[in-house]
Amino acid sequence: GAGVSQSPRYKVAKRGQDVALRCDPISGHVSLFWYQQALGQGPEFLTYFQNEAQLDKSGLPSDRFFAERPEGSVSTLKIQRTQQEDSAVYLCASSSVFGGASTHEQYFGPGTRLTVT
Amino acid sequence: AQSVTQLGSHVSVSEGALVLLRCNYSSSVPPYLFWYVQYPNQGLQLLLKYTSAATLVKGINGFEAEFKKSETSFHLTKPSAHMSDAAEYFCAVSDRVGGYNKLIFGAGTRLAVHP
C-alpha cells in the first residue's frame, strides 16, 4: 500500500509569498503530525490532528503558519508572507491510532523542502 | 519537559566495525524512546522503540538499543557496520503530556561508513 505522500517535494518561494504544502496520509490513519526540520537539525513538532480536529498547534512558530485537515484525511500546511527563516524541510507523519497510544509508530512522508529567497 | 541529546554530530566507522550512536534523554515521566533513520531525500524510518517492556530492544537491519534508566541513556548499536548503514540517525522521546505521541528529536548523528 501507499505510504505518506507530500507535495510538492521542492518549493522555492520569494520572500513575502504565500505557500501551501500538502500531505496525504496513509488511508484510514486518524492521527496526523507536521514537523519542521531546519538544515542540520532534528525535526521539531508543529501541530497535531486527530481526524479533522487540530488538538495541538503549540509548535507553530507564528501566526503566519496555519494548518487544516477539513475532512480528516488530506492536510495542508499554509505559510503566509514567507520569510527566509521559514526555509526548512516540512515533514508530515501519520499514525493509525488515536493519540493516546504513544507506542504506535508514526509513518513519515518524504518531506517538502521549502527554500525562501 | 522532555529533551534529547545526541553526542557526536558525525560518526565515522569502517565497514565491519561496531557502530555506537549515543543518546541521552531527559523526561519527567517514564519515557518512550525511539530511534529513526533518515536516508537522503527520504522521510524518517523507525528503527526501534522502547516502551517500558524489555530494556534491550532489537530493531531492523541488525540494530539494537539498551535503555539504561540510571544513565538516562538509550544508545544505538550494531555489531558490524555495512556500507548501506550510512545515513542520519535521530533519537527521539515521546512527550505524552497531551496524551498523544508528540516526538521530541535530538539534533541527529550522521553516520559515515568507509571501506
Side-chain angles (χ1 to χ4, degrees):
Chain A
V4 178
S5 61
Q6 294 186 244
S7 60
R9 291 293 313 277
Y10 303 90
K11 177 69 178 178
V12 179
K14 293 186 185 300
R15 189 172 57 182
Q17 284 184 333
D18 298 349
V19 298
L21 313 180
R22 177 186 170 104
C23 172
D24 285 80
I26 294 173
S27 179
H29 278 196
V30 299
S31 291
L32 187 145
F33 300 80
W34 282 98
Y35 293 86
Q36 179 190 57
Q37 186 176 18
L39 186 64
Q41 299 297 318
E44 292 189 359
F45 171 82
L46 292 177
T47 187
Y48 166 66
F49 289 86
Q50 183 172 296
N51 293 310
E52 69 278 3
Q54 188 176 19
L55 299 186
D56 187 341
K57 52 183 180 180
S58 63
L60 296 177
S62 77
D63 58 7
R64 296 184 296 104
F65 286 71
F66 172 76
E68 60 183 6
R69 194 186 185 198
E71 298 179 358
S73 55
V74 171
S75 177
T76 304
L77 177 67
K78 297 179 179 178
I79 309 174
Q80 298 177 325
R81 304 181 304 282
T82 52
Q83 303 294 315
Q84 282 193 312
E85 61 264 29
D86 300 335
S87 295
V89 175
Y90 291 85
L91 295 167
C92 174
S94 70
S95 176
S96 62
V97 295
F98 287 106
S102 299
T103 61
H104 286 262
E105 179 177 356
Q106 291 181 31
Y107 294 85
F108 282 81
T112 295
R113 182 178 298 277
L114 173 65
T115 304
V116 182
T117 60
Chain B
Q2 282 76 5
S3 66
V4 171
T5 301
Q6 292 184 242
L7 299 177
S9 58
H10 291 80
V11 171
S12 181
V13 300
S14 299
E15 191 173 20
L18 171 72
V19 175
L20 171 60
L21 305 182
R22 299 177 184 273
C23 172
N24 288 87
Y25 69 91
S26 172
S27 179
S28 57
V29 298
Y32 290 168
L33 294 159
F34 304 80
W35 275 100
Y36 282 85
V37 61
Q38 186 176 36
Y39 297 99
N41 298 316
Q42 295 186 27
L44 283 75
Q45 180 184 9
L46 182 67
L47 279 176
L48 49 80
K49 61 185 178 184
Y50 167 77
T51 56
S52 73
T55 56
L56 182 63
V57 180
K58 295 186 184 297
I60 62 172
N61 300 339
F63 284 94
E64 62 181 39
E66 185 173 8
F67 172 70
K68 292 187 176 180
K69 183 178 179 180
S70 61
E71 299 178 6
T72 62
S73 69
F74 190 56
H75 301 330
L76 182 71
T77 60
K78 182 174 180 178
S80 177
H82 191 273
M83 298 294 288
S84 61
D85 294 328
E88 184 120 31
Y89 292 80
F90 293 95
C91 182
V93 63
S94 174
D95 180 343
R96 295 178 285 133
V97 173
Y100 49 88
N101 197 10
K102 179 193 300 185
L103 295 176
I104 310 299
F105 287 88
T109 297
R110 184 168 299 278
L111 175 66
V113 182
H114 52 85

